[in-house]
Amino acid sequence: MHREGIIYDEITKVIIEIYIDYDIKEFPIDEKVVCKKLGVALVPYSAFEKNEKKIFLKKSENGFFVKASKGRPPTIYYNDEISSVGKIRFTIFHEIKHYVFDDEDDSEDDLADFFARFFMCPIPYLILKDITVPEKIISFCNVSNFVAHNVESNIKNRKKIYGNTIFDYEVKLIEQIEPILVEVNNLRS
């Protein structure tokens, strides 16, 4: 599904706000720390008996988000028995998007996927650090091969249109993660 770039820019701006508001700096980004900072409970499928797990797997093979209710915080349930740690992490960040934007609408899963990829692999930061090929993206961001190739494609497309330009609103992200890069690359206005 094609969407206007402004939607992705708005999602990016929200991610940057989260990085700053919750003082996130380390890589790879720890999904459990992010959930804790956001006040989201994180519950693996393996915490449940076989019959309950079957119900969860029917709902989603990977994971799902449930809004807060009386006595229960917002919660992400995730399949911790998936073979790839990168896929587990991607699932959790995908579900964080549903929490942050207060939605449970699966019709916008492409936006949740974008949110997850950008949160784990902030493109302007990777460009400045020259982490632009899948092997480097995988090792630096601890993501799956699939996500790394998608991020590489996003980087190539962005560079084709904008070169190495870092947008004003992205400078705050770089300042948060690695302030020296801002100075070295003369990004301050």
Side-chain angles (χ1 to χ4, degrees):
M1 170 184 285
H2 176 73
R3 295 185 188 270
E4 294 298 318
I6 194 160
I7 295 170
Y8 296 102
D9 290 344
E10 292 307 315
I11 291 172
T12 299
K13 288 174 184 175
V14 168
I15 293 168
I16 292 168
E17 287 175 19
I18 294 169
Y19 267 86
I20 293 167
D21 291 349
Y22 294 94
D23 198 30
I24 298 168
K25 296 179 181 183
E26 51 285 324
F27 272 83
I29 301 298
D30 187 328
E31 64 282 3
K32 292 174 180 146
V33 169
V34 172
C35 284
K36 185 175 182 177
K37 288 182 178 194
L38 291 173
V40 176
L42 197 53
V43 182
Y45 286 7
S46 65
F48 298 92
E49 297 295 323
K50 188 176 182 176
N51 290 337
E52 291 170 305
K53 270 198 257 187
K54 282 184 182 179
I55 294 169
F56 288 173
L57 288 167
K58 275 187 178 179
K59 181 161 178 61
S60 174
E61 185 179 310
N62 299 316
F64 58 94
F65 166 69
V66 177
K67 292 181 179 184
S69 64
K70 213 179 229 183
R72 184 185 42 78
T75 304
I76 294 172
Y77 296 91
Y78 68 98
N79 187 351
D80 56 326
E81 296 172 350
I82 298 173
S83 60
S84 164
V85 170
K87 188 171 183 176
I88 292 169
R89 296 180 72 247
F90 178 80
T91 296
I92 292 168
F93 280 104
H94 173 107
E95 298 306 328
I96 289 172
K97 186 272 183 193
H98 292 302
Y99 165 70
V100 168
F101 287 88
D102 193 29
D103 73 65
E104 295 177 281
D105 185 359
D106 290 339
S107 70
E108 296 197 346
D109 271 0
D110 60 319
L111 297 178
D113 289 351
F114 172 80
F115 179 96
R117 283 190 307 270
F118 194 93
F119 207 115
M120 293 187 297
C121 308
I123 289 173
Y125 181 56
L126 297 181
I127 288 171
L128 286 176
K129 291 200 59 85
D130 196 30
I131 299 171
T132 58
V133 296
E135 297 76 22
K136 286 183 176 182
I137 295 167
I138 290 167
S139 65
F140 187 73
C141 300
N142 194 21
V143 294
S144 68
N145 189 47
F146 179 78
V147 167
H149 280 277
N150 196 299
V151 169
E152 176 194 39
S153 176
N154 291 343
I155 290 170
K156 283 181 181 177
N157 289 336
R158 178 175 166 148
K159 284 181 144 199
K160 190 184 314 177
I161 297 168
Y162 301 107
N164 288 334
T165 300
I166 304 301
F167 303 112
D168 290 342
Y169 65 90
E170 296 172 329
V171 173
K172 290 190 256 179
L173 172 69
I174 307 304
E175 287 175 329
Q176 172 65 23
I177 300 170
E178 196 168 339
I180 192 74
L181 277 179
V182 174
E183 293 173 23
V184 168
N185 289 287
N186 259 342
L187 297 178
R188 285 199 182 104
S189 309

